Amino acid sequence: MNQRRDLITLALSLGASWVGPGLLRAAKAQGSAGVLRIGMAAPNTTLDPHLLSNAPNNAVATHIFDSLTVNDHASRSVPGLAESWTRKDETQWVFRLRDTRFTDGTPFTANDAIASIRRATEIPSAASFRTYTRSIKAMSAPDPRSLVVETHGPDPLLLNAIGRVRIIQARLTDAPSAEFNAGRAAIGTGPYKLREYIPGNRISLDRNDAWWGGPTPWERVELRVATDDAARLAALLAGDLDIIEAVPSGNAERVRVDPRLHLISGVSSRFVYIGLDQVNDVSPFVTGPDGKPLDRNPFKDHRVRQALSMAISRQAIVERVMEGQAVAATQFLPPGGPGTDQSLEPTPFDPNRARVLLAEAGYPRGFRVTLHGPNDRYINDAKIVQAVAGMLTRIGIETRAEVMPWSTYAGKNSQRTEQSLFLGAWGVNTGETSNPMAALVATEDRPAGFGISNAGRYSNPEVDRRLKSALRTMDDTARNALLAEASGIAFRDVALIPLHHEVSVWAAKKGLGYVTRADQYTLATGVTKES
């Protein structure tokens, strides 16, 4: 049995948000063509589909560009530009490609797929995608509609991984990101064509009537960036938007009482955590209680990391900050998920024990630190930062909260030397734990695709060894056992401080349907007209 497909056991009882051709044609037949206006809670930072892998960028790219496989609502791999595939042996895959065209009329061929995967692997700016392509050894095109992929060793997650790489024309592989943002290189085979891109404001799209999946229900789509929660809801209430994402818990009641609107919700696979600088000998935003620099980084001490985790009341965050729109986390996925350690328990809220641990570590008077985070990316992100800062302050770690727009925060967080303590999150889009483990806690090896988003530069050889072994294991049971061991080691070592898994909430006009996805993407192809 393929246990990776059992993400639904995590209470992600979701329907498919990637809508198949049949449903799209039915929706069109019902007369649902028109303009769809979506309120996006976080801005994308580029239209270059290989520049930076994060949810806003990937969700926007999915409208314009296709991938060989498509990750459905539960992160299962279904046909995309590859209509079928077979595995010749443990390292060779053969993909049969669709007979389709790019929106400029150019035929799509296997060479386009090869060029796109290479671009996502090789260009320096595409480092965040290398975690998905690191196992690929060679690619060849026996004919325009056949693609052979050879991996360095067994890769049980190849289908899911290549679903992250959007396909562009081979002739555009050397195009700089500016050409994509200007629209000249933003040419895909996807359900929509780019009409206009105003960074930080909106993306306007026209329907691709020649899309292989069949014409979508919406002739035109506007993805409008509305990072302010109140403004986003106000636009929906005023009729300026048709559906919005990331409805704050405090605003949900306004939607419930409005007969024109309804809420749509589901537990996501997004894992929210606090990351810690574990590489610098002197951490940039840490001082002694007197404000003078410390001669050592306290977060390198396991007792300090434990103390921070014990100082945080996850129940309070879930109930008060998130107002019930979250589930307390112990690791990357909720208990029962493939690759999780069933023996891990939530860290107890124990501020007294936390103070003892600090004293044992040599910080009886605590220290000062700045906790950084975004204020427009994750649900209630700024409130979470403020709440955690207050909890840490109460055990003697005087914590200053500093939040900023995601467009600024993402760059600083990726530098790894500009933050000591930070709020992060990861959408576990493979439905098992190897993906977040490889990205967030594996020892940094950028050419190999490990530790790409390991901003705290945590490193543990025992985690690395089990992870790499798991990534070569085709048997699901054996692979998930190795991942569970690695998860147990990493979280007992407090590689990251787990907070919660988000519950995603959308609000839409009555008559519009949207079934939530584990990856939290808001896709126009998933918005349907209800009968």
Side-chain angles (χ1 to χ4, degrees):
M1 182 177 67
N2 191 332
Q3 294 181 12
R4 180 168 62 85
R5 297 186 176 182
D6 289 345
L7 183 61
I8 203 165
T9 63
L10 309 180
L12 301 180
S13 51
L14 314 172
S17 177
W18 181 84
V19 180
L23 182 53
L24 289 174
R25 294 191 186 99
K28 185 169 186 265
Q30 292 169 6
S32 59
V35 178
L36 176 68
R37 302 160 300 174
I38 300 175
M40 312 296 285
N44 68 307
T45 58
T46 182
L47 290 185
D48 185 336
H50 306 143
L51 182 64
L52 181 63
S53 179
N54 59 43
N57 288 345
N58 296 339
V60 169
T62 299
H63 291 85
I64 302 170
F65 306 95
D66 284 316
S67 48
L68 292 176
T69 62
V70 173
N71 296 308
D72 73 1
H73 70 288
S75 300
R76 295 171 297 201
S77 300
V78 298
L81 286 176
E83 59 186 5
S84 63
W85 50 83
T86 57
R87 201 176 76 215
K88 293 176 65 175
D89 53 40
E90 287 196 333
T91 62
Q92 288 196 69
W93 300 71
V94 179
F95 296 87
R96 184 62 178 168
L97 306 183
R98 293 187 187 277
D99 183 8
T100 190
R101 292 176 179 269
F102 288 92
T103 54
D104 66 353
T106 305
F108 160 67
T109 71
N111 287 330
D112 298 307
I114 292 172
S116 298
I117 293 171
R118 283 179 177 163
R119 184 176 190 265
T121 304
E122 296 172 358
I123 64 172
S125 59
S128 61
F129 283 93
R130 201 165 295 136
T131 187
Y132 304 118
T133 62
R134 63 179 181 272
S135 72
I136 296 176
K137 178 181 179 180
M139 295 175 287
S140 61
D143 61 70
R145 293 187 58 196
S146 297
L147 171 67
V148 178
V149 176
E150 181 182 1
T151 57
H152 290 285
D155 182 359
L157 299 176
L158 178 69
L159 293 178
N160 196 290
I162 61 173
R164 312 294 169 191
V165 180
R166 275 76 190 177
I167 305 303
I168 66 172
Q169 292 178 325
R171 68 179 182 87
L172 296 172
T173 53
D174 293 328
S177 296
E179 287 293 290
F180 288 89
N181 293 337
R184 291 184 288 271
I187 301 169
T189 62
Y192 294 96
K193 300 178 287 186
L194 180 67
R195 171 192 285 260
E196 181 184 37
Y197 174 45
I198 301 177
N201 184 285
R202 69 178 181 272
I203 302 101
S204 297
L205 305 164
D206 291 324
R207 184 170 63 193
N208 176 14
D209 289 324
W211 185 45
W212 57 267
T216 71
W218 311 105
E219 293 177 347
R220 185 173 176 183
V221 171
E222 291 188 2
L223 306 176
R224 298 186 186 176
V225 178
T227 60
D228 182 82
D229 293 338
R232 192 165 62 255
L233 178 60
L236 178 69
L237 293 169
D240 296 329
L241 293 173
D242 302 306
I243 183 171
I244 63 174
E245 62 183 6
V247 178
S249 52
N251 291 337
E253 188 59 28
R254 294 184 63 186
V255 176
R256 290 191 186 96
V257 301
D258 192 318
R260 304 169 301 165
L261 308 174
H262 68 129
L263 291 171
I264 306 166
S265 64
V267 179
S268 79
S269 64
R270 181 165 296 279
F271 165 70
V272 182
Y273 62 89
I274 298 294
L276 315 93
D277 171 14
Q278 299 184 55
V279 65
N280 292 304
D281 292 330
V282 177
S283 199
F285 284 90
V286 178
T287 69
D290 55 2
K292 296 179 180 179
L294 290 177
D295 61 358
R296 54 183 169 139
N297 179 353
F299 303 131
K300 287 188 172 185
D301 192 311
H302 180 248
R303 293 167 296 185
V304 174
R305 301 196 299 273
Q306 282 183 309
L308 267 65
S309 188
M310 288 182 173
I312 298 171
S313 172
R314 289 156 184 80
Q315 182 179 358
I317 290 176
V318 167
E319 294 180 357
R320 299 174 194 170
V321 179
M322 302 299 292
E323 296 189 44
Q325 292 183 6
V327 177
T330 62
Q331 52 196 304
F332 294 122
L333 286 173
T340 56
D341 184 333
Q342 301 307 299
S343 67
L344 284 175
E345 298 287 342
T347 302
F349 174 53
D350 193 343
N352 291 329
R353 177 59 181 160
R355 294 186 189 95
V356 170
L357 286 170
L358 285 178
E360 290 178 357
Y363 304 98
R365 295 174 53 227
F367 51 85
R368 296 181 185 178
V369 67
T370 299
L371 172 60
H372 289 93
N375 59 9
D376 59 0
R377 175 64 186 91
Y378 313 121
I379 299 173
N380 295 327
D381 45 15
K383 292 180 180 179
I384 295 168
V385 172
Q386 292 286 352
V388 171
M391 293 172 186
L392 298 183
T393 297
R394 284 193 284 275
I395 67 164
I397 301 176
E398 186 179 334
T399 306
R400 175 176 174 265
E402 183 174 328
V403 297
M404 62 196 74
W406 172 251
S407 57
T408 301
Y409 179 78
K412 288 183 176 293
N413 187 250
S414 65
Q415 293 301 312
R416 299 143 191 264
T417 57
E418 296 192 17
Q419 297 173 346
S420 297
L421 201 63
F422 50 90
L423 180 71
W426 190 266
V428 187
N429 298 333
T430 57
E432 47 75 70
T433 58
S434 70
N435 169 248
M437 195 176 301
L440 298 178
V441 300
T443 300
E444 185 179 36
D445 182 352
R446 297 175 79 81
F450 290 106
I452 296 300
S453 298
N454 184 350
R457 296 202 192 174
Y458 173 80
S459 179
N460 188 319
E462 292 302 311
V463 172
D464 296 339
R465 182 172 62 81
R466 287 167 174 81
L467 170 62
K468 291 176 181 179
S469 180
L471 291 172
R472 296 189 298 268
T473 303
M474 300 299 287
D475 179 78
D476 287 345
T477 301
R479 181 176 67 256
N480 288 330
L482 288 165
L483 292 173
E485 290 179 14
S487 293
I489 293 169
F491 284 98
R492 288 188 180 88
D493 199 25
V494 200
L496 303 168
I497 299 175
L499 296 180
H500 58 270
H501 304 284
E502 290 181 350
V503 171
S504 303
V505 182
W506 286 259
K509 291 181 176 179
K510 287 282 181 67
L512 292 183
Y514 190 76
V515 187
T516 61
R517 298 172 54 95
D519 57 22
Q520 298 182 301
Y521 292 0
T522 302
L523 304 180
T525 50
V527 182
T528 59
K529 193 93 167 181
E530 296 179 335
S531 59

